[in-house]
Amino acid sequence: MHIPENYLSPQTCAVMGAIMVPVWYRAVKKVDVQIKLKKDTGTMLGISSSLSFLIMMFNLPVPGGTTAHAVGAVLIALLMGPWAATLSVSVALLLQACLFGDGGILAFGANAFSMAFVMPFVGYGVYKLVTRVKKFETMGLFLAGYLGVNVAAFSTSVLLGIQPLLFHEANGKPLYNPYGLSITIPAMMSVHLLVIGIVEGLFTVCVYNFVKSVSKDAIFIEEKKKRTPLLRLKRLLLVMVILCPLGLIDHATAWGEWDLSELVKNLKQNHLPAVQPKGMVNGFSFHALFSDYFIPGLPLALGYILSGVTAIIVFLLIFRLFNGRRQS
């Protein structure tokens, strides 16, 4: 679901970034309150970012020869609140883009809008609606994850699909993403409705119930932030880091995340004009330090594991510093 560089026009990226600025501001303000209520909020935010980062490393093969992944944003919203989820997932997406080249730098605002804003708030709202009847809690958890990731996927598919409508040459050739809404929406939604939504829902149910079983007071309730079983969650992160190379089983690229050569190949396979859009060819270029989670000189699986470990360390340090500044 990560939109790469140059798939969106600079204008679209600017608009989405502008939309997210007040959202991030509000998220920081809300999290500031949580930090004042509980001193380990910073650590929990770091763990939450790590959870999201790691679950996104588990790329699953899906119909059509591509891959896709869960996000974990709804789970974080249920554990820490939707505003904390916005901040936590945004930091995870930023590190992915800057250090590992997963998602575009210019497209960061658009990716954050779908995965760090739309997804947690939709999921949180669905959960609150369904669980008005207590016996429907498990159903509420599953539907929250399922619908949250699907609405996020729909948001991404629309952002991609409007590009050829709004930004094209005089002869009609697309400048950026060449696929219109008639392709982007079915392509992304079929994968998420049939596969990823189920995975996201099950992940949300399992981890939420795990946290609840080790500490009934761990779950976010309105503006209150209570004790979280940090040690158990850290162990869960360790297990996910060890298992993350499973995300390398299928090397296919996720739909809409191809580089230019893969894009041309895909266009040919779909019997469309195999022309590289000029806006993408001449667009912004950024080379991440460890692109696609590959560390030169190391086996791919080991590089994948070390990428996960690096991300966890960075997230914990960032939010510990953030936590310390807010408390001081």
Side-chain angles (χ1 to χ4, degrees), residues 22 26 30 40 50 54 85 100 124 131 151 157 238 310 312 319:
R26 180 66 170 169
K30 284 287 188 179
D40 63 3
S50 301
L54 290 171
F100 302 107
Y124 188 78
T131 55
V151 175
S157 68
L238 177 61
T310 300
I312 292 172
F319 285 113

Side-chain angles (χ1 to χ4, degrees), residues 1 68 146 149-150 153 188-198:
M1 202 188 300
Y146 182 86
V149 77
N150 272 288
M188 291 204 68
M189 295 313 299
S190 60
V191 166
H192 286 80
L193 286 169
L194 297 176
V195 181
I196 298 304
I198 296 173

Side-chain angles (χ1 to χ4, degrees), residues 1-8 13 24 90 93-112 115 256-257 284-288:
M1 202 188 300
H2 294 68
I3 300 175
E5 216 69 82
N6 302 316
Y7 270 71
L8 301 181
C13 293
W24 286 320
S90 292
L93 292 172
L94 183 61
L95 185 70
Q96 286 177 324
C98 293
L99 192 58
F100 302 107
D102 194 0
I105 299 294
L106 295 183
F108 171 61
N111 286 324
M115 289 184 275
E257 296 185 20
F284 177 74
S285 179
F286 175 79
H287 299 285

Side-chain angles (χ1 to χ4, degrees), residues 50-296:
S50 301
L51 274 172
S52 180
F53 182 94
L54 290 171
I55 194 62
M56 285 191 275
M57 293 181 76
F58 286 83
N59 295 302
L60 303 175
V62 294
T66 63
T67 58
H69 57 75
V71 178
V74 174
L75 170 67
I76 299 171
L78 298 179
L79 292 178
M80 297 198 67
W83 289 108
T86 294
L87 188 60
S88 183
V89 177
S90 292
V91 172
L93 292 172
L94 183 61
L95 185 70
Q96 286 177 324
C98 293
L99 192 58
F100 302 107
D102 194 0
I105 299 294
L106 295 183
F108 171 61
N111 286 324
F113 176 80
S114 295
M115 289 184 275
F117 179 52
V118 170
M119 182 174 173
F121 275 91
V122 168
Y124 188 78
V126 169
Y127 175 77
K128 286 296 184 182
L129 180 64
V130 175
T131 55
R132 287 181 177 180
V133 180
K134 288 187 177 180
K135 65 180 181 180
F136 291 158
E137 182 177 42
T138 299
M139 181 187 297
L141 290 169
F142 179 82
L143 288 177
Y146 182 86
L147 293 176
V149 77
N150 272 288
V151 175
F154 180 77
S155 170
T156 299
S157 68
V158 170
L159 288 172
L160 288 169
I162 62 175
Q163 298 307 302
L165 295 175
L166 300 178
F167 307 99
H168 50 75
E169 299 180 57
N171 59 8
K173 290 183 179 179
L175 286 171
Y176 303 99
N177 172 59
Y179 295 107
L181 291 168
S182 62
I183 296 178
T184 59
I185 292 177
M188 291 204 68
M189 295 313 299
S190 60
V191 166
H192 286 80
L193 286 169
L194 297 176
V195 181
I196 298 304
I198 296 173
V199 173
E200 189 80 49
L202 292 175
F203 178 74
T204 303
V205 171
C206 293
V207 179
Y208 183 93
N209 284 329
F210 165 75
V211 174
K212 189 175 181 180
S213 69
V214 297
S215 176
K216 291 183 178 180
D217 294 330
I219 310 303
F220 174 83
I221 302 175
E222 298 304 327
E223 294 295 330
K224 297 179 181 179
K225 179 71 183 68
K226 297 185 178 181
R227 182 174 176 78
T228 306
L230 298 181
L231 181 60
R232 298 290 182 90
L233 285 173
K234 288 176 181 177
R235 289 174 180 171
L236 175 61
L237 291 182
L238 177 61
V239 172
M240 292 180 69
V241 166
I242 294 171
L243 295 178
C244 72
L246 292 174
L248 297 170
I249 292 176
D250 193 321
H251 293 284
T253 304
W255 199 96
E257 296 185 20
W258 310 288
D259 59 26
L260 282 174
S261 61
E262 291 174 317
L263 175 61
V264 170
K265 182 180 178 180
N266 191 275
L267 289 168
K268 288 181 179 178
Q269 291 175 345
N270 288 279
H271 308 292
L272 296 171
V275 179
Q276 294 182 346
K278 287 185 178 180
M280 298 179 72
V281 174
N282 302 317
F284 177 74
S285 179
F286 175 79
H287 299 285
L289 184 61
F290 303 120
S291 183
D292 294 327
Y293 309 99
F294 173 73
I295 300 178

